[in-house]
Amino acid sequence: MEHYLGKRAKEDIVNSYGVTIVPANTTIDGDALELIIKHRVNADTIVLESDEAAPAAAPLEDAEISRSVQHLKELYQSIRLSRKVPIWEIRNEVLPDVMGAAETSDVFQLLEKIKGKDDYTYEHHIGVAALSSLIGRWMNLSEPELSSLTLAALLHDIGKIKVPDELLMKPGKLTEEEMRLVRKHTVYGYELLRETKGINHRIALVALQHHEREGGGGYPFGLKQDKIDPFSSIVAVADVFHAMSSKRPYREPYPFNELLRQMGQEKFGGLNPQVVSVFLRNLSNKLVGQQVRLTDGRAGEVVYVNPNQPEYPLVKTADEGFVDLSREREAGIREITFNE
């Protein structure tokens, strides 16, 4: 009966006397499975949500993301020359594609498609916007708020048009003076957006505040939680996750389990804990059933996730049965894998 682990009961699971052993909508963990076995529940009476055929989600096409990246790149190049933001074009020609991509039911396919690989600067804008839109939906924002948030995320790094490319793409560590220049992109972006007609002030604030941190350790002003706009907090989480999951000039992407671990740690004095919790909880809920490759090369399927330690799930491998990553800490999930 181990194949029930991680699946959700569609109806109450009852014993032969009609007593409910596992309530409907419960995700079956080790304790629930033990009860099912102990009460000798007839397997034919167990109805799981996954037993019903679900309509396949439409695959997210690479072209949809690539088109947005290329279009935004062209628009940003025009901004470098004119110092004017073509907000109508961005709002009407880029924003709908990004918000549409974030509506996919296959979150891990989305995360894979938006990773920065070749043209990081512009892939980062699109990736952060898609992630921000995703988080905003999970936080039940209204459609107008969601649209403003996603637009703000698309423009969060716009101030970097005034930072030399050689600094943005430098493979080694920046000097203190170089870092000071790069950090000015927050103020540059705020000033540019504040002067743009058709943009509300919150969108400009995101450009200014997305590197501020809850404990006051961010920049440019070292603001604390009560002074940071909620949109800025959401974009900050998306910004950090996308940067860590992407290939950079100076490092490879972080393994998936390390991503989850470090994001969780950022809740303490860094990123907004509510936003991080919503993000990690929803990712964790969608991990069960995903095909993964472990850091030691083994392949398997996630069958159970402990909500308190989502980076250490239970994985079923083809050759060795179950691998409990909470006990085998030397291994972890390197990546989510997909069938071609």
Side-chain angles (χ1 to χ4, degrees), residues 153-167:
L154 276 170
L155 300 171
H156 78 285
D157 266 349
I158 196 169
K160 287 184 176 178
I161 64 170
K162 295 185 67 174
V163 178
D165 283 341
E166 56 266 27
L167 291 186

Side-chain angles (χ1 to χ4, degrees), residues 167-229:
L167 291 186
L168 298 178
M169 301 304 293
K170 183 177 178 179
K173 185 177 181 180
L174 297 178
T175 66
E176 288 187 13
E177 177 61 19
E178 289 171 338
M179 181 62 74
R180 186 183 66 81
L181 290 173
V182 170
R183 287 182 171 184
K184 282 187 174 181
H185 79 274
T186 55
V187 176
Y188 293 152
Y190 175 74
E191 292 173 345
L192 182 60
L193 294 176
R194 185 182 58 181
E195 297 169 0
T196 301
K197 293 182 179 179
I199 290 181
N200 68 50
H201 190 240
R202 294 188 74 182
I203 292 174
L205 278 181
V206 168
L208 184 67
Q209 297 180 345
H210 65 278
H211 284 291
E212 299 286 3
R213 294 296 181 260
E214 300 286 297
Y219 65 88
F221 300 122
L223 301 180
K224 292 191 175 182
Q225 180 179 9
D226 59 337
K227 300 295 184 182
I228 302 173
D229 188 276

Side-chain angles (χ1 to χ4, degrees), residues 36-89:
I36 292 171
I37 295 172
K38 181 179 179 180
H39 286 265
R40 299 181 180 179
V41 175
N42 185 341
D44 293 337
T45 67
I46 298 176
V47 180
L48 305 173
E49 287 187 351
S50 57
D51 288 341
E52 297 184 349
L60 183 65
E61 299 294 336
D62 285 337
E64 187 177 351
I65 298 297
S66 298
R67 182 174 64 246
S68 296
V69 170
Q70 183 59 34
H71 198 164
L72 193 68
K73 183 176 183 178
E74 293 168 359
L75 292 173
Y76 265 55
Q77 289 171 343
S78 75
I79 296 170
R80 285 181 183 272
L81 298 174
S82 67
R83 288 296 190 268
K84 295 185 182 298
V85 181
I87 194 61
W88 186 91
E89 288 184 69

Side-chain angles (χ1 to χ4, degrees), residues 124-150:
H124 184 61
H125 289 291
I126 299 299
V128 172
L131 283 168
S132 297
S133 188
L134 190 68
I135 296 169
R137 289 191 184 280
W138 287 340
M139 296 185 73
N140 298 315
L141 297 187
S142 67
E143 283 299 319
E145 286 180 314
L146 201 60
S147 180
S148 292
L149 168 66
T150 309

Side-chain angles (χ1 to χ4, degrees), residues 85-154:
V85 181
I87 194 61
W88 186 91
E89 288 184 69
I90 295 173
R91 192 188 298 273
N92 289 279
E93 298 179 19
V94 180
L95 184 64
D97 275 352
V98 175
M99 294 185 68
E103 290 179 358
T104 180
S105 60
D106 196 333
V107 171
F108 292 103
Q109 280 281 3
L110 173 65
L111 297 183
E112 181 64 23
K113 300 292 185 183
I114 63 176
K115 282 182 180 178
K117 302 178 184 72
D118 304 313
D119 199 351
Y120 177 77
T121 298
Y122 301 100
E123 290 168 339
H124 184 61
H125 289 291
I126 299 299
V128 172
L131 283 168
S132 297
S133 188
L134 190 68
I135 296 169
R137 289 191 184 280
W138 287 340
M139 296 185 73
N140 298 315
L141 297 187
S142 67
E143 283 299 319
E145 286 180 314
L146 201 60
S147 180
S148 292
L149 168 66
T150 309
L151 181 60
L154 276 170

